[in-house]
Amino acid sequence: AAQVWAGRAVAARQIDSSSLRAKVIGLLILSGNFVVGWAWKGLFDCIFSSITSSAAGQLLASLILSTILVLLAAASAALAHCLPKVLVDALGTVAALNCGWTWMDFAAAETSKWTTGLLSLWVNTLVILVISLLFVILAESVDQKCQPTPLLASPQEESGTELPSGRGNEPEDERETVILQVAGSDGQDGSPDG
């Protein structure tokens, strides 16, 4: 309740966001989210303790837990319009922390067999970082390719230049003509006359 109140006070600008008071409230909110995340980790450890004794069992627990937490974070983000922002942020933070912790537990269970020294630990860390970076680059490129494009973007609209009226403003194909006719059917054809 205190986190929700503090978050609303900062969001409503009742407290100056650059003041020490706002920064202390922000730190308390984040540390509160961490404590809640740690409590959920304890619950998850108790629930999955029977299967996490082996690396394969930890992998299964990590997959199940990650799926549940990602769905929870996605649901809270989808319902962000009817939930307090602090609660949505807390759910996202708790989900992210626990996903990270469960995969850390899997990595510890798996690498404990062949990690013998500090050098091999650092090599494994660098390999994991490179793999993670590749996944981020892949996700970013997929996201860029999935961005919607405007329906009627002409080369002039894309470049931000307009041609004088009467020259180059004609539709280039039938589909654009039909769309313009449908858009102009309510008496607003976009012409200066009418």
Side-chain angles (χ1 to χ4, degrees), residues 102-156:
T102 188
W103 287 106
M104 180 190 68
D105 291 342
F106 168 67
E110 185 61 33
T111 60
S112 65
K113 302 172 201 166
W114 41 275
T115 303
T116 57
L118 188 60
L119 179 63
S120 62
L121 178 68
W122 277 105
V123 168
N124 291 334
T125 302
L126 290 175
V127 168
I128 290 171
L129 285 173
V130 168
I131 291 171
S132 300
L133 181 63
L134 291 175
F135 276 122
V136 168
I137 291 170
L138 176 68
E140 183 68 26
S141 67
V142 167
D143 183 50
Q144 289 296 323
K145 290 183 181 182
C146 292
Q147 293 294 324
T149 56
L151 291 176
L152 295 175
S154 67
Q156 293 83 19

Side-chain angles (χ1 to χ4, degrees), residues 43-149:
L43 175 67
F44 295 139
D45 286 347
C46 289
I47 291 172
F48 293 109
S49 65
S50 61
I51 63 170
T52 57
S53 58
S54 68
Q58 181 61 47
L59 174 63
L60 178 63
S62 296
L63 289 171
I64 292 170
L65 191 57
S66 294
T67 302
I68 292 169
L69 291 172
V70 166
L71 290 175
L72 176 69
S76 70
L79 297 173
H81 63 282
C82 60
L83 294 174
K85 181 182 180 325
V86 175
L87 182 61
V88 174
D89 292 344
L91 287 172
T93 303
V94 167
L97 286 171
N98 280 287
C99 281
W101 285 331
T102 188
W103 287 106
M104 180 190 68
D105 291 342
F106 168 67
E110 185 61 33
T111 60
S112 65
K113 302 172 201 166
W114 41 275
T115 303
T116 57
L118 188 60
L119 179 63
S120 62
L121 178 68
W122 277 105
V123 168
N124 291 334
T125 302
L126 290 175
V127 168
I128 290 171
L129 285 173
V130 168
I131 291 171
S132 300
L133 181 63
L134 291 175
F135 276 122
V136 168
I137 291 170
L138 176 68
E140 183 68 26
S141 67
V142 167
D143 183 50
Q144 289 296 323
K145 290 183 181 182
C146 292
Q147 293 294 324
T149 56

Side-chain angles (χ1 to χ4, degrees), residues 175-192:
R175 186 187 69 194
E176 193 171 329
T177 303
V178 171
I179 292 173
L180 290 174
Q181 287 174 350
V182 170
S185 65
D186 60 349
Q188 298 175 356
D189 59 353
S191 66

Side-chain angles (χ1 to χ4, degrees), residues 156 162-171 190-192:
Q156 293 83 19
E162 287 189 31
L163 295 175
S165 62
R167 286 190 11 227
N169 291 337
E170 296 81 21
S191 66

